[in-house]
Amino acid sequence: MDMSEDNNQVEQKPDERELTIKDVADLIDESPHTVRNWLKELEGYIPFERKKNGYRVFKNEGLERFKLIKHLNRDQDYTLKEIALYLDTGGEAFKVMPEPSADSILAEEMRRMRERLDELEKRDRERDEVLKVIAEQLTKQNIYIEHTLKERDEHLTSTMREMLEGKRLIAAAEEHEKQLEKKSWLQRLLGR
């Protein structure tokens, strides 16, 4: 490369500079072999332009992608397949779910306990209603049974009185008949 080309590259703004694989390797402190390997494995994820001579050149966006790949591979221990998944999903596949705070865990547990308590209170109210209905039915049934027993007792007492009165009348009639027979026997005996 002659000096005029080198000065041109230096004078360009950093966003417009065209970087070779060696330039990228120097800027991210990796070997050109490593940068070529990343480019081979993750080609669809690294923006570049191909020059007429067949060389690939990278602008600032490509350099930033190599920096991200280096960070994920070296600092986060991602494999190249994991990096591809990360780049495919915009990092969503690797977002760490935040650990719930003690307050949120406690609030959730209290909410569940409140729901359970509400459910138990509802069951208690329903049970109380059922018991109230059963108690009313038992009261009515007891009144009916007491009334029926009282009527039966009165009927039995009345029937027994009538039977006793009937027996007394029969006994009295039999006694009267005996008296009449005795009298009649005495009268016949006396000849009258």
Side-chain angles (χ1 to χ4, degrees):
M1 202 191 272
D2 67 13
M3 287 299 271
S4 63
E5 286 181 14
D6 198 27
N7 285 340
N8 257 350
Q9 197 169 1
V10 173
E11 290 176 16
Q12 291 175 333
K13 294 181 184 174
D15 289 348
E16 298 173 3
R17 278 187 3 192
E18 294 181 340
L19 304 169
T20 64
I21 288 178
K22 184 177 180 336
D23 295 331
V24 171
D26 290 342
L27 287 170
I28 65 171
D29 196 27
E30 287 290 341
S31 71
H33 173 74
T34 300
V35 172
R36 276 189 202 90
N37 186 48
W38 287 348
L39 184 58
K40 177 182 162 195
E41 295 295 324
L42 301 167
E43 185 172 359
Y45 302 102
I46 303 169
F48 66 88
E49 293 178 14
R50 200 170 284 278
K51 290 297 188 183
K52 290 180 184 175
N53 61 7
Y55 287 110
R56 289 175 265 203
V57 292
F58 307 92
K59 297 205 175 182
N60 195 44
E61 187 181 354
L63 176 63
E64 291 303 314
R65 186 57 54 93
F66 276 113
K67 286 179 183 178
L68 175 62
I69 291 168
K70 177 181 178 175
H71 169 72
L72 293 173
N73 186 250
R74 300 289 189 234
D75 300 335
Q76 302 293 319
D77 293 325
Y78 284 25
T79 65
L80 294 180
K81 286 184 180 185
E82 289 173 330
I83 293 171
L85 179 61
Y86 179 93
L87 296 172
D88 272 340
T89 62
E92 290 296 319
F94 292 91
K95 280 196 176 171
V96 177
M97 295 303 288
E99 286 289 322
S101 68
D103 289 343
S104 66
I105 292 170
L106 183 59
E108 177 61 22
E109 186 63 26
M110 288 181 70
R111 182 191 63 76
R112 282 196 304 267
M113 289 173 68
R114 184 74 219 153
E115 286 176 357
R116 180 70 175 136
L117 183 60
D118 289 345
E119 180 183 317
L120 291 173
E121 286 174 346
K122 180 182 175 189
R123 285 168 131 185
D124 282 349
R125 284 191 302 272
E126 290 171 353
R127 187 198 66 231
D128 289 347
E129 287 298 315
V130 168
L131 290 174
K132 183 179 175 183
V133 168
I134 290 172
E136 288 172 359
Q137 289 175 345
L138 285 173
T139 301
K140 288 177 184 178
Q141 190 174 17
N142 283 339
I143 291 171
Y144 171 77
I145 290 171
E146 287 175 10
H147 177 71
T148 303
L149 287 175
K150 185 177 177 186
E151 282 182 347
R152 186 202 67 182
D153 289 349
E154 287 173 358
H155 181 69
L156 283 173
T157 304
S158 172
T159 302
M160 287 175 73
R161 280 189 191 136
E162 289 173 4
M163 286 174 62
L164 287 173
E165 183 62 26
K167 283 185 179 182
R168 192 179 60 76
L169 288 174
I170 292 172
E174 286 176 352
E175 186 61 34
H176 181 62
E177 225 175 271
K178 281 184 189 176
Q179 291 293 331
L180 285 177
E181 277 181 27
K182 271 187 189 177
K183 198 175 181 187
S184 155
W185 185 75
L186 268 174
Q187 282 177 353
R188 271 188 269 144
L189 197 74
L190 290 175
R192 293 191 187 176

